[in-house]
Amino acid sequence: MAVTPTDLDRLDLKLLMLLQENNLQTSEELAERVGLSPTSCLRRLRRLRENGAIMSDVSIISPSVAGKRVTSIVLVALEQEQLDLLDNFKNRMSAYPEVTQCYYVTGSADFILVVNTGSMEEYGAFTERAFFPDKNVKSFNTFVSMQTVKFTTRINLDVS
């Protein structure tokens, strides 16, 4: 069962905001910032991880570590939106390491993908593997990022 905002109190939300800034803070540091004991803080963190409010603890690496990268935003339209065909497309996109984000959307496209490759040639090879063999892909439209203006994984939570 997915956690909802009503499942979280103000202290939970404050902890989640702090963890989005730096998830390496100790329970002592977090407890001091939210006004809890370290033990209470650890209990809350354990509960937030168990109930799925915290999906994972990760490190976000600098894109410069990977060298020159091409980020493409791809709009994909399908021929048919049958459940089995949608599930097949979702599963295939989830399996490609080049696809860093995949959204099933409303509007003129059925999916929006964020695809990260080392070059335009690699992107072309990706499209040949991912889209052309799939008879249910009607079309895809690619937008290549020229500059990252803002990138964050932080979700703004109302802690008032």
Side-chain angles (χ1 to χ4, degrees):
M1 184 166 107
V3 66
T4 65
T6 58
D7 299 328
L8 305 174
D9 65 19
R10 191 173 144 277
L11 293 171
D12 290 334
L13 294 173
K14 284 177 88 171
L15 280 170
L16 291 171
M17 288 297 289
L18 291 169
L19 289 172
Q20 289 183 100
E21 293 171 17
N22 177 4
N23 74 340
L24 296 179
Q25 296 174 83
T26 66
S27 59
E28 290 80 14
E29 292 169 325
L30 290 167
E32 185 177 316
R33 293 184 69 187
V34 298
L36 289 170
S37 71
T39 304
S40 293
C41 188
L42 278 174
R43 268 196 300 268
R44 281 177 180 267
L45 291 173
R46 187 176 309 113
R47 180 178 46 80
L48 291 168
R49 285 184 174 94
E50 288 171 356
N51 71 15
I54 297 174
M55 291 173 48
S56 69
D57 291 287
V58 300
S59 294
I60 300 171
I61 65 166
S62 169
S64 65
V65 169
K68 293 182 179 176
R69 304 302 293 172
V70 175
T71 300
S72 302
I73 294 85
V74 187
L75 283 63
V76 181
L78 301 180
E79 290 286 349
Q80 299 177 22
E81 288 191 74
Q82 293 172 212
L83 192 54
D84 60 329
L85 296 173
L86 289 170
D87 287 343
N88 178 275
F89 187 82
K90 290 175 190 177
N91 291 333
R92 286 189 325 96
M93 292 307 110
S94 295
Y96 286 109
E98 298 93 339
V99 177
T100 58
Q101 297 174 57
C102 178
Y103 301 95
Y104 179 41
V105 298
T106 62
S108 60
D110 296 304
F111 288 89
I112 295 178
L113 311 175
V114 177
V115 179
N116 195 286
T117 56
S119 67
M120 285 305 294
E121 290 79 14
E122 283 182 30
Y123 176 72
F126 164 77
T127 64
E128 290 174 10
R129 289 189 323 275
F131 302 140
F132 290 111
D134 187 339
K135 299 296 183 214
N136 197 38
V137 172
K138 182 193 318 186
S139 64
F140 65 95
N141 193 2
T142 303
F143 300 86
V144 177
S145 172
M146 296 189 311
Q147 179 185 41
T148 301
V149 176
K150 179 179 181 179
F151 172 85
T152 184
T153 60
R154 186 173 190 244
I155 297 172
N156 193 30
L157 303 171
D158 183 10
V159 296
S160 56

